[in-house]
Amino acid sequence: MTSILEKTTGLVAFVRTVDAGSFSAASRLIGSTQSAVSKSVARLERRLGVRLIQRSTRTLNLTAEGQAYYERVAPLLRRIEDAEDGRPGGFGSQGTASSICTSGVRKGAHRGVGSGVFGAPSRCET
């Protein structure tokens, strides 16, 4: 049985990899090694039973399943971070805040369009 900590580690590694554009950039954001981030994403893929990122020697591309998973989990992770940081929409805020986030994932990247999945920078507006 996988613990919640193991599940969230894989989720964070996956979202950070997509946001950063590479395992090495994600490892710098997370404060871990490239190998640990890559292995964490691989464990997540095994647990889910689906390939999320198609890897080659030079590029990473989201699969259709990876794109769908990212679109579901990235906003959840951002909400958790907002709650921890006390930003609008987080814990203790009053009223309702709505956010519009763009992930930096190129549309159609899971089909091999463009040079990789990681194009524009992430951006959130409240």
Side-chain angles (χ1 to χ4, degrees):
M1 185 168 157
T2 306
S3 75
I4 189 72
L5 182 59
E6 291 169 324
K7 289 179 183 179
T8 56
T9 300
L11 185 135
V12 170
F14 171 69
V15 171
R16 290 293 176 260
T17 299
V18 174
D19 288 344
S22 69
F23 290 121
S24 60
S27 70
R28 288 188 296 275
L29 290 173
I30 295 170
S32 186
T33 65
Q34 178 179 343
S35 175
V37 172
S38 177
K39 288 176 183 178
S40 185
V41 172
R43 281 190 299 273
L44 174 65
E45 290 173 323
R46 276 194 307 277
R47 188 172 54 79
L48 296 173
V50 66
R51 171 80 65 188
L52 300 172
I53 299 174
Q54 188 63 44
R55 300 148 177 86
S56 74
T57 55
R58 296 187 183 258
T59 62
L60 300 176
N61 289 295
L62 283 176
T63 63
E65 295 85 359
Q67 178 78 33
Y69 189 71
Y70 178 84
E71 289 172 3
R72 290 192 68 186
V73 300
L76 299 173
L77 183 59
R78 287 187 185 96
R79 292 289 305 251
I80 292 168
E81 290 169 337
D82 289 348
E84 290 291 316
D85 294 342
R87 289 184 278 207
F91 180 76
S93 68
Q94 296 186 4
T96 304
S98 62
S99 296
I100 300 171
C101 294
T102 58
S103 66
V105 177
R106 291 187 186 144
K107 209 168 191 138
H110 62 273
R111 292 184 297 272
V113 177
S115 61
V117 278
F118 315 108
S122 296
R123 182 178 55 114
C124 291
E125 299 172 3
T126 303

